[in-house]
Amino acid sequence: MFDPVRAKVRLVAFTGAAFAGGVLLASGMGWTAGSQAATLFQASAAPSPSSSAVQPVADLSQAFISISESVTPAVVSIEAERTARSGSRQVPQELRELFPFFDGPQGQGGGGGGRQLPPEESGGSGFLISADGYIMTNNHVVERASKIDVILQDNRRLTAKLVGADPLTDVAVIKVEGGRFPVTRMGSSEGARIGEWVLAIGNPLELGTTVTSGIISAKGRALGIIGRSAEENSQWAIEDFIQTDAAINPGNSGGPLVNLRGEVIGINSVIASRTGFYSGYGFAIPIDLARRIGDDLIRYGRVRRAALGVSVRPISPEDAEQYRLPRITGVLVQDFENDSPAERAGIRSGDVIVSVNGQEVAGVGELQRRVTGYRPGETVTLGVIRNGQPRDVRVPLMEASLASQASAASTTQPGRGGTPARPAEPASVSADKLGIQVAPLTAQLAQQYEYRQPGGVVITGADRYGPMGRRGFGAGWKISQADGQQISDVRTLQRIVESKKTGDLLSLVMENPTGQRSILNLRIEPPRQ
């Protein structure tokens, strides 16, 4: 049976042996100075190169043992019971894979009308963050739970109460009573580095305490899972996962991801798998974000979100060229919430945010996480690039209104905006270049696409594989500007598009029926065959 931990230890042993053998070979061939070689081999005092690899492996093994003995007493098993109702919201499959339903009534069909079904039982993990019994876990482990039991490593079973939960980050805090408890030591996910060794620790009901090892494979991963699981305000969902190849299996969700100093740097949350079992891709919520959310849940019972009041999206290569960016990194400001503090402070559509208080922002998730690390009322300095020129803008943070359609760092979600219109003779605008059909926004089309009033140019059809269709823009979107010119009629748009050659950039400002703007920089492509 394949054991990933032993495989990794064998890899370390092999690497150490190869290194030692290489040094021996080099010294024998005169590639190292005599005094240096003598010092090296006198210190090892070992007759064979393979024995020099034993100590590094032993040291790594001892580190794993020490961390396991230190951390596992504070890792708990969580058993949640909830009332099932037919037609209730489904948990996304990626979360269900770490969150097994033992009696499984949900998803098996059943009658409608809110008929009461047998209780659901589910299991997960959590870890103690204070000696008086506060436990951090995933929201999806305890969501809708009518009863929560916690099983400690010493087999005590305690009833827990829900302190607070945030479905938009998948973080929850529960609490048990019963004296002083062992606690985990908090680290920082900010300083975690790709390639760093980590341990994923869990306490699944059916197995008990489990420890697996791996490395950090990537940071800043966005999977689109949390947004799908949130019933409301999904635009506020924050995904900035740490990816690891440490084996994470069902029931480990909510357990800690720990570095070699024994510090928690993440909460194991999601796996990417077609089978529901570990396949090399595990994802953890950064502890810096989780601690900020958990602190609010303990203090206020809810999350007080700091917000810039802007809508943003990731930078594309076309954006980088259009705005003369030194690298393809940062986030593009597209639109603003009403009374946005960022807009009042001087941020403009088309600005590229590259840092917050001097800390680099590579993507949307990172901007969300950095802004969430501050409290409403605090002021941050945004590093932005405007038309190739860097500048700093100080922005006081507002408290987010979850009813809002724009967020501290929400991505614009392009949509189709309705069913395609069928005018008698739709005006085709360079379908071979943009892959769209457009028409004047008449009163009839305004009603169809739910615009408040007619006027301008609207997309009535799109090739899903065309330049705009691939970016998510189709029927129902208005084209407000092209290369900085207002588009009030089809002829103006057609003239601008026809002036472009293959490989040229075209900058468009799009608008949906709610009035939200979206900037699209795309490259003119040769006609599809």
Side-chain angles (χ1 to χ4, degrees):
M1 183 175 184
F2 177 72
D3 186 336
V5 176
R6 290 186 179 179
K8 289 163 186 168
V9 171
R10 285 198 298 270
L11 176 61
V12 173
F14 177 80
T15 303
F19 174 76
V23 172
L24 179 63
L25 179 62
S27 64
M29 297 181 69
W31 292 351
T32 57
S35 61
Q36 291 175 329
T39 302
L40 172 66
F41 288 104
Q42 285 173 5
S44 65
S48 66
S50 61
S51 63
S52 66
V54 173
Q55 190 58 44
V57 175
D59 290 344
L60 180 63
S61 179
Q62 186 57 50
F64 289 171
I65 293 169
S66 298
I67 294 166
S68 300
E69 291 176 346
S70 172
V71 177
T72 55
V75 180
V76 305
S77 183
I78 298 174
E79 188 179 88
E81 182 179 299
R82 70 207 66 210
T83 301
R85 292 184 180 276
S86 60
S88 62
R89 177 168 58 92
Q90 300 291 312
V91 176
Q93 181 62 29
E94 296 89 337
L95 296 183
R96 288 175 64 88
E97 286 163 355
L98 290 185
F99 184 35
F101 291 85
F102 300 128
D103 57 358
Q106 198 171 15
Q108 294 182 1
R115 181 172 60 86
Q116 189 76 31
L117 295 176
E120 296 170 349
E121 293 181 355
S122 63
S125 301
F127 54 98
L128 285 147
I129 58 174
S130 71
D132 58 347
Y134 284 100
I135 296 169
M136 190 169 284
T137 185
N138 289 137
N139 170 70
H140 72 263
V141 170
V142 297
E143 189 175 21
R144 297 188 297 109
S146 56
K147 181 182 179 184
I148 303 172
D149 284 341
V150 168
I151 299 90
L152 305 180
Q153 193 185 46
D154 61 11
N155 294 321
R156 281 186 294 166
R157 176 182 286 265
L158 302 174
T159 299
K161 69 174 183 178
L162 179 66
V163 175
D166 181 41
L168 300 176
T169 53
D170 197 27
V171 173
V173 176
I174 61 177
K175 191 174 189 302
V176 293
E177 305 291 343
R180 296 188 63 80
F181 298 94
V183 299
T184 50
R185 188 153 58 100
M186 295 292 106
S188 172
S189 49
E190 181 65 33
R193 301 175 65 185
I194 296 172
E196 180 179 344
W197 280 92
V198 288
L199 299 183
I201 304 177
N203 196 342
L205 283 168
E206 65 275 20
L207 293 178
T209 301
T210 63
V211 180
T212 58
S213 68
I215 63 169
I216 294 176
S217 306
K219 295 176 67 177
R221 292 298 199 207
L223 306 177
I225 294 172
I226 294 178
R228 295 206 307 272
S229 69
E231 286 184 319
E232 299 175 339
N233 302 297
S234 60
Q235 74 273 14
W236 289 94
I238 299 178
E239 292 194 1
D240 191 44
F241 290 117
I242 298 170
Q243 181 182 329
T244 178
D245 68 346
I248 300 173
N249 280 305
N252 282 5
S253 189
L257 186 70
V258 181
N259 62 22
L260 288 190
R261 292 181 294 278
E263 301 166 336
V264 178
I265 61 169
I267 305 177
N268 303 322
S269 184
V270 178
I271 57 175
S273 169
R274 295 184 181 276
T275 64
F277 294 94
Y278 168 76
S279 59
Y281 303 98
F283 300 90
I285 301 164
I287 199 62
D288 292 348
L289 171 63
R291 289 179 70 179
R292 169 69 178 83
I293 298 298
D295 186 54
D296 269 9
L297 293 176
I298 292 171
R299 288 189 181 192
Y300 312 112
R302 64 181 182 89
V303 180
R304 298 182 64 234
R305 277 183 165 76
L308 295 169
V310 299
S311 174
V312 300
R313 67 165 174 79
I315 289 293
S316 69
E318 292 78 14
D319 297 329
E321 183 176 338
Q322 177 73 20
Y323 301 120
R324 305 196 299 277
L325 304 180
R327 294 185 297 154
I328 306 174
T329 188
V331 296
L332 178 63
V333 176
Q334 305 203 91
D335 205 356
F336 300 92
E337 186 176 353
N338 291 334
D339 199 30
S340 163
E343 188 174 29
R344 293 198 310 270
I347 299 294
R348 298 289 177 260
S349 293
D351 283 351
V352 179
I353 300 175
V354 295
S355 67
V356 176
N357 280 351
Q359 294 182 304
E360 182 180 5
V361 168
V364 173
E366 193 167 21
L367 176 61
Q368 291 174 313
R369 176 170 56 82
R370 295 206 187 284
V371 171
T372 303
Y374 298 93
R375 297 193 178 279
E378 292 186 291
T379 296
V380 297
T381 298
L382 301 182
V384 304
I385 296 177
R386 181 179 299 168
N387 296 323
Q389 299 299 314
R391 63 182 65 198
D392 289 337
V393 181
R394 287 177 55 81
V395 179
L397 298 174
M398 61 185 284
E399 180 168 358
S401 168
L402 293 188
S404 170
Q405 295 303 307
S407 76
S410 66
T411 54
T412 296
Q413 302 294 332
R416 293 296 186 261
T419 56
R422 296 181 180 176
E425 295 181 1
S428 175
V429 175
S430 303
D432 58 335
K433 292 184 177 181
L434 299 183
I436 59 171
Q437 291 78 47
V438 300
L441 184 60
T442 62
Q444 180 182 357
L445 291 181
Q447 182 178 11
Q448 178 176 338
Y449 293 126
E450 299 181 354
Y451 283 92
R452 294 181 179 179
Q453 57 187 17
V457 175
V458 66
I459 298 175
T460 58
D463 177 357
R464 62 181 298 185
Y465 301 108
M468 295 189 68
R470 291 199 311 270
R471 302 286 288 272
F473 292 92
W477 279 91
K478 284 178 60 175
I479 302 178
S480 300
Q481 294 181 33
D483 282 351
Q485 297 185 47
Q486 290 296 127
I487 301 300
S488 58
D489 56 75
V490 170
R491 187 172 301 169
T492 301
L493 176 63
Q494 191 159 15
R495 176 177 52 79
I496 295 172
V497 173
E498 288 298 335
S499 70
K500 299 291 183 178
K501 302 185 298 294
T502 298
D504 288 349
L505 286 179
L506 176 64
S507 183
L508 301 175
V509 176
M510 313 297 295
E511 186 176 324
N512 66 16
T514 67
Q516 185 176 14
R517 291 172 295 173
S518 183
I519 298 173
L520 174 62
N521 295 303
L522 55 83
R523 196 175 303 280
I524 299 298
E525 301 176 2
R528 291 182 61 210
Q529 300 299 322

